[in-house]
Amino acid sequence: SGLVQGGTYTLRALIKAEVNDGTVSSRMTIIFNYSDGTIEVYSTGPFPKDGIEREYVLTKTANAAKTLTSISGWILDHGNPGTGKYQSARNIQLEAKPYATSFIDGTRSPETLTISRTNVLSNITQPWTIEFWAFPHPDRIRLSQIPGTNFARLGLLQIGEYYLPNKTNICLWKNNTTSPYGIEVCVMNNLVIKKSPTIILTREDWVSGVFIVLRYDGSRLFLDTFSLPTGHKSVYVNVELSYPVDDVIYIGSAGRESLNGLIDDLRISSRARTDEEIAAAYASGQPLPVDEWTTYLLRFDNTLKVGRGGYRLSKPIYLKSLGTCNGSNISWEANIPAGCDVKVYA
């Protein structure tokens, strides 16, 4: 039920095939069945027969020119079962999404990504920077198809707990009042609210993704956005973060509003990065780099997770020029900050 015509679907499962006599060549298959009697069949490659459980994911888009009537397929599709061997599959999940989400056996609950603020911004009153990409789901950018009405307010980032006496709280969200597609930052000091001017964006900006930078220089909180087709825009609000800030940073939510979308390439730094640095990072089209001011970096692709302190990589030292010898000793001097570790990779 609830099929989306021309929609994108993802089939996911954890699958294991035992070492066998080589006659089994199983795979996972998804089939789109159309009202005209035609079908489209997509499959993974054959599973390795080594007894190791792996995650398999198939993401395919139905033909928008045809009426999709059902989706079918196989988790373990094979022509010959082999002799005395087994295969298993678990955590099977079919979703109307262009990516696989974590498996939930039942009704999915709202997910909230949080970071310990004191681990990455131990002194919130000193300069800092938070950068990330935001990709709201297109259906959430505007809730109503009637222009000018019922626009969604999307939470993007929250520092500290929301709207408490004798506390400071920072909220960043896509607005739904001043501009239906605008973005603004709000600082609440002991229930007194100060807002930045609204950056006016378009629906096309949010669909293509917005690179967002929040930076504090000790007296001003800057909000920068980079997107297509609007380009670069910047606003700020004069604030002093004089009240205690709770030990939490919410990513993809603010106040009581959620993004319901994707966050990518999140970097937190222990200084206010310059206009030139921010513009260069966006223009490069590359993942945000790591340096000595990086206190947290999350790429959301399982390739790099940087925690407190960050990483700095030296330039490679090439040994080929040393030639062939019976032995060698390579040494150097390094000024190592307190509390840091050094690792050498060869």
Side-chain angles (χ1 to χ4, degrees):
S1 63
L3 294 175
V4 178
Q5 302 306 317
T8 300
Y9 290 85
T10 298
L11 177 64
R12 169 196 181 271
L14 296 177
I15 296 174
K16 177 168 59 176
E18 186 182 354
V19 176
N20 56 54
D21 55 14
T23 58
V24 174
S25 184
S26 299
R27 65 196 72 226
M28 187 169 71
T29 300
I30 186 171
I31 302 175
F32 294 137
N33 304 284
Y34 299 106
S35 60
D36 62 1
T38 60
I39 64 173
E40 291 176 345
V41 181
Y42 303 98
S43 298
T44 63
F47 306 138
K49 298 181 278 286
D50 54 11
I52 298 175
E53 185 177 69
R54 297 177 176 87
E55 179 185 56
Y56 290 89
V57 177
L58 265 179
T59 299
K60 298 297 177 182
T61 300
N63 190 334
K66 297 185 177 183
T67 301
L68 184 64
T69 57
S70 66
I71 299 175
S72 58
W74 295 274
I75 304 301
L76 299 172
D77 171 24
H78 60 82
N80 189 329
T83 304
K85 307 300 176 181
Y86 71 86
Q87 298 172 86
S88 67
R90 65 186 180 94
N91 289 9
I92 304 163
Q93 188 161 277
L94 175 65
E95 304 175 89
K97 295 179 181 292
Y99 50 86
T101 65
S102 56
F103 177 82
I104 298 295
D105 189 10
T107 302
R108 178 176 291 278
S109 299
E111 297 173 306
T112 303
L113 174 61
T114 62
I115 297 172
S116 172
R117 179 193 59 77
T118 54
N119 282 342
V120 295
L121 294 176
S122 58
N123 191 344
I124 195 73
T125 64
Q126 297 298 312
W128 48 266
T129 305
I130 300 178
E131 306 156 90
F132 62 94
W133 281 86
F135 299 87
H137 190 284
D139 292 344
R140 281 285 293 159
I141 296 172
R142 187 178 71 194
L143 294 180
S144 172
Q145 296 304 310
I146 302 174
T149 63
N150 198 21
F151 286 87
R153 186 176 192 174
L154 305 181
L156 296 164
L157 176 78
Q158 178 179 315
I159 303 176
E161 297 295 354
Y162 183 68
Y163 201 53
L164 294 177
N166 301 313
K167 295 287 184 70
T168 288
N169 160 251
I170 300 172
C171 285
L172 176 66
W173 43 47
K174 183 184 85 67
N175 201 357
N176 65 344
T177 53
T178 307
S179 167
Y181 299 120
I183 181 176
E184 65 186 19
V185 62
C186 176
V187 181
M188 306 175 197
N189 279 319
N190 192 24
L191 306 182
V192 177
I193 299 175
K194 294 187 71 174
K195 292 184 179 181
S196 72
T198 300
I199 291 179
I200 307 300
L201 298 175
T202 67
R203 186 179 190 277
E204 288 70 28
D205 290 309
W206 289 108
V207 169
S208 61
V210 179
F211 181 53
I212 299 170
V213 183
L214 196 64
R215 50 184 171 144
Y216 182 61
D217 67 0
S219 61
R220 295 172 297 176
L221 186 60
F222 290 85
L223 171 62
D224 291 80
T225 62
F226 296 80
S227 55
L228 294 174
T230 296
H232 176 217
K233 289 195 172 184
S234 181
V235 295
Y236 71 89
V237 56
N238 292 309
V239 294
E240 289 187 9
L241 305 179
S242 53
Y243 289 90
V245 181
D246 288 319
D247 179 27
V248 64
I249 299 176
Y250 296 96
I251 307 300
S253 62
R256 299 173 181 84
E257 310 293 341
S258 297
L259 173 65
N260 192 13
L262 300 178
I263 296 287
D264 197 15
D265 222 20
L266 169 69
R267 181 174 70 170
I268 300 177
S269 305
S270 58
R271 70 174 176 86
R273 296 192 178 270
T274 65
D275 292 332
E276 292 76 14
E277 282 181 287
I278 295 170
Y282 172 76
S284 72
Q286 299 299 311
L288 294 171
V290 182
D291 56 29
E292 60 264 47
W293 298 286
T294 304
T295 60
Y296 192 83
L297 179 63
L298 188 57
R299 295 268 167 81
F300 293 97
D301 61 1
N302 290 323
T303 61
L304 180 62
K305 297 180 181 179
V306 177
R308 185 177 183 177
Y311 286 88
R312 163 170 274 197
L313 301 180
S314 71
K315 293 182 179 179
I317 302 173
Y318 293 100
L319 307 181
K320 185 177 181 180
S321 61
L322 295 178
T324 303
C325 57
N326 292 327
S328 62
N329 178 58
I330 300 173
S331 62
W332 67 93
E333 293 182 358
N335 295 320
I336 305 173
C340 291
D341 297 323
V342 172
K343 294 183 178 180
V344 179
Y345 297 89

